[in-house]
Amino acid sequence: MPSPGQVAAPPPFVALAAHPVRWRLMTELAGSDHRVRELVTRLGQPQNLVSYHLRLLRDGGLVTATRSSADRRDSYYHLDLDRCAHELAGSGTALHPALRTSRPPSDPPLARGSGRPPSVLFVCTGNSARSPVAEALLTLRSVGGVRTTSAGSRPKEHLHPDAVRVLRERFDVDVSSQRPRHLDDVADKSFDLVITLCDKAREVCPEFSGPVRRMHWSIPDPAAAGPQDDAAFERAAHDIDTRVGHLLPVLAATEHREGEP
């Protein structure tokens, strides 16, 4: 406790997030990974200012950057929502012990009433690893409450055996009978949300009819890591599973709004 007359400094998370530009950056990155030039357009701020505040968020451990597989000169920025939740809980405790978070909230229910279940399309290039893993994990985590599918811009002939293995060993999900599909095969379908997991696929992903929301998850291709990196598929699946967990409340909120009279 600070002594009388002494002003206590706010927790680092509060100091970082309280700045209007950094809060806006966090808000944008909470929904999708973005490149600097996209954030400049969305915020309407100079690039040097955006880059400066991104660096502060990276130094604070809240934002990470990955090199784009579509253009190695570019990078995608990602907000670590788990880190934000941890830091936010710590900030509450710093204010008062009663604000300690005892346990994380349970996943919100989806499509349990008469409302139409949300539909999500995951897209990557080969539809052999990242997007089918995302499709399987969202189906699993939503307990079938989301209409989920995946496709690729240049689909492989078969799912990658390590993607099949990781889903079976880590999540007890069997996708061995699934085959990659082309984006053309789902062109006539409607989706509420289209999520690209591959930087190259993002550049060529077509527009879909209706009010479709777009997101991008910049996840490195685990198959490109080579056989010497035997943990690449585990890392990719963990990243996707974490992002799916953060997506569920968004889908539940969307479904609730659509079902309101």
Side-chain angles (χ1 to χ4, degrees):
M1 293 291 290
S3 59
Q6 180 182 2
V7 178
F13 176 81
V14 174
L16 268 176
H19 191 282
V21 173
R22 291 194 290 271
W23 181 255
R24 181 70 191 282
L25 285 169
M26 292 170 66
T27 301
E28 294 291 343
L29 292 172
S32 178
D33 297 350
H34 288 292
R35 293 167 290 193
V36 168
R37 63 177 178 269
E38 295 166 345
L39 293 169
V40 166
T41 299
R42 287 172 173 268
L43 270 66
Q45 298 288 346
Q47 180 170 332
N48 61 343
L49 182 67
V50 170
S51 296
Y52 167 75
H53 287 290
L54 280 173
R55 179 174 61 79
L56 293 180
L57 290 171
R58 291 183 67 185
D59 291 346
L62 301 182
V63 167
T64 58
T66 58
R67 191 69 65 183
S68 170
S69 61
D71 183 351
R72 301 297 296 177
R73 298 168 298 178
D74 215 344
S75 295
Y76 277 94
Y77 289 85
H78 169 67
L79 181 67
D80 188 338
L81 287 171
D82 279 349
R83 179 68 180 268
C84 288
H86 174 76
E87 296 293 339
L88 186 60
S91 298
T93 304
L95 182 62
H96 193 283
L99 299 181
R100 180 184 301 276
T101 302
S102 58
R103 59 185 177 88
S106 59
D107 292 337
L110 283 151
R112 295 295 179 262
S114 58
R116 177 181 63 83
S119 56
V120 177
L121 171 67
F122 291 105
V123 179
C124 67
T125 300
N127 192 219
S128 62
R130 288 164 290 182
S131 57
V133 167
E135 175 187 2
L137 292 181
L138 181 54
T139 300
L140 175 69
R141 299 304 184 198
S142 68
V143 198
V146 180
R147 292 192 293 114
T148 313
T149 190
S150 66
S153 56
R154 296 168 57 189
K156 304 284 188 180
E157 290 190 10
H158 305 284
L159 296 189
H160 196 288
D162 283 326
V164 176
R165 173 186 58 81
V166 167
L167 284 172
R168 182 180 64 250
E169 293 179 355
R170 303 294 184 187
F171 303 97
D172 196 25
V173 174
D174 183 11
V175 295
S176 58
S177 62
Q178 186 170 317
R179 294 291 178 268
R181 64 178 64 86
H182 198 283
L183 276 168
D184 290 346
D185 296 336
V186 297
D188 60 342
K189 301 183 183 300
S190 61
F191 299 97
D192 298 307
L193 177 61
V194 174
I195 301 177
T196 48
L197 297 91
C198 167
D199 302 333
K200 294 179 181 178
R202 187 193 188 202
E203 303 298 327
V204 299
C205 186
E207 297 294 332
F208 290 85
S209 61
V212 182
R213 183 177 178 183
R214 301 284 289 262
M215 287 185 183
H216 181 57
W217 297 351
S218 182
I219 298 176
D221 182 6
Q228 70 278 6
D229 188 352
D230 55 6
F233 281 84
E234 282 79 2
R235 289 197 304 272
H238 175 75
D239 189 0
I240 292 169
D241 191 44
T242 299
R243 292 174 185 251
V244 163
H246 295 148
L247 179 64
L248 287 173
V250 176
L251 295 175
T254 301
E255 182 198 30
H256 177 71
R257 287 196 298 269
E258 290 178 349
E260 288 178 347

